Amino acid sequence: MKNIIKEERQKKKITQEELAKIAGVRRETIVFLEQGKYNPSLSLAYKIAKALDSTIENLFIFEE
Amino acid sequence: MTLKQYQKFRMILTIIIAMIFSQAIINQNFFLSISIIILALLLHLFIRSRVEEILHDERDWAIGGKAALSAITAYSWMGLAVMLILKSQAILNPVYDIIANTIAFSVCILMLLYAFIYRIHHKGKIFSIYTIFTLIVLVAFVAMAIYGIINAVK
């Protein structure tokens, strides 16, 4: 699943480490998320969206 | 304590424990081997509580689950292959038959244990009809395995 987490994070000037701390995950998870190599759970997607003042629909692009 | 420091400490601790434990077993000093394992466990728990960073997250659990299932599958197939080879060679040495039975039982117990733990997580509670049934089968199998192996050794 594609996402725009990296772009939104850079806009907010938040580091991966900081985002990981807010979302309660390890930095590696944020790295894999940004690369589109990991699909997060609904609760993690919500936490990230909240941390970036965005919504899940805005951050994640679902492709069939 | 940072995550990297913790990982480094855990690696050093594992090496030291492995060295002492193996030497204690060789010298048949079982008290020392058990003591060192308990001490290491307590030390590990203490150090883990000092880590301020997140040790495991949902991705680790997901990977861990997949890795555990793959490991169980691989062990089961390897166990089956080794068991068949040893059974076929049992004419040469009767000990092979005991080893083959032990491996076969260990594979079955591992599968039952997996099914039991899976049921607990699946149902979200320890006491359900499925988990109790699996537990009874597991206990019966362990008892049968111990009885069978002891009898075979005699």
Side-chain angles (χ1 to χ4, degrees):
Chain A
M1 196 188 287
K2 280 185 180 177
N3 64 71
I4 53 161
I5 294 171
K6 193 177 180 179
E7 290 81 354
E8 289 293 312
R9 181 177 60 76
Q10 283 170 342
K11 263 190 225 171
K12 286 265 168 197
K13 290 177 182 172
I14 298 173
T15 62
Q16 287 179 333
E17 194 79 52
E18 286 166 344
L19 184 59
K21 209 168 188 179
I22 297 165
V25 291
R26 294 200 297 126
R27 194 186 66 84
E28 284 83 354
T29 303
I30 300 295
V31 174
F32 279 94
L33 263 172
E34 288 185 352
Q35 290 173 351
K37 289 179 183 172
Y38 175 64
N39 292 331
S41 68
L42 198 58
S43 65
L44 178 57
Y46 175 76
K47 280 177 194 170
I48 289 168
K50 203 178 168 191
L52 298 171
D53 288 328
S54 186
T55 59
I56 294 172
E57 294 88 348
N58 184 40
L59 287 180
F60 296 92
I61 304 137
F62 183 74
E63 289 173 323
E64 280 190 54
Chain B
M1 184 183 259
T2 64
L3 191 63
K4 278 190 179 173
Q5 284 173 322
Y6 164 72
Q7 283 168 342
K8 205 178 277 178
F9 169 81
R10 197 175 60 177
M11 199 175 71
I12 294 164
L13 185 71
T14 309
I15 293 165
I16 294 166
I17 295 303
M19 282 162 67
I20 299 171
F21 186 78
S22 57
Q23 283 305 310
I25 291 290
I26 289 164
N27 296 324
Q28 295 201 319
N29 191 342
F30 300 111
F31 177 74
L32 179 67
S33 55
I34 292 166
S35 309
I36 202 78
I37 290 290
I38 293 166
L39 188 73
L41 201 72
L42 292 173
L43 195 63
H44 183 249
L45 285 172
F46 173 72
I47 296 295
R48 199 161 72 168
S49 68
R50 311 278 292 180
V51 181
E52 286 148 11
E53 291 175 47
I54 292 153
L55 289 170
H56 307 288
D57 60 16
E58 60 170 52
R59 191 174 147 269
D60 294 314
W61 289 112
I63 294 168
K66 282 179 195 170
L69 187 60
S70 303
I72 290 166
T73 310
Y75 180 76
S76 303
W77 281 109
M78 282 193 293
L80 183 71
V82 172
M83 184 201 76
L84 288 172
I85 293 164
L86 289 173
K87 280 271 179 195
S88 68
Q89 301 298 311
I91 309 155
L92 301 171
N93 191 341
V95 174
Y96 289 162
D97 198 44
I98 301 166
I99 300 167
N101 286 341
T102 309
I103 292 168
F105 274 123
S106 74
V107 168
C108 295
I109 289 165
L110 183 68
M111 283 173 161
L112 282 166
L113 196 63
Y114 174 79
F116 174 66
I117 295 167
Y118 180 86
R119 281 285 170 194
I120 291 172
H121 286 288
H122 178 65
K123 292 276 169 187
K125 56 182 179 182
I126 298 169
F127 297 108
S128 72
I129 191 133
Y130 296 105
T131 52
I132 291 167
F133 176 72
T134 321
L135 185 65
I136 291 166
V137 175
L138 180 67
V139 170
F141 221 88
V142 171
M144 269 168 25
I146 293 167
Y147 179 75
I149 290 162
I150 288 170
N151 262 5
V153 171
K154 274 180 186 174

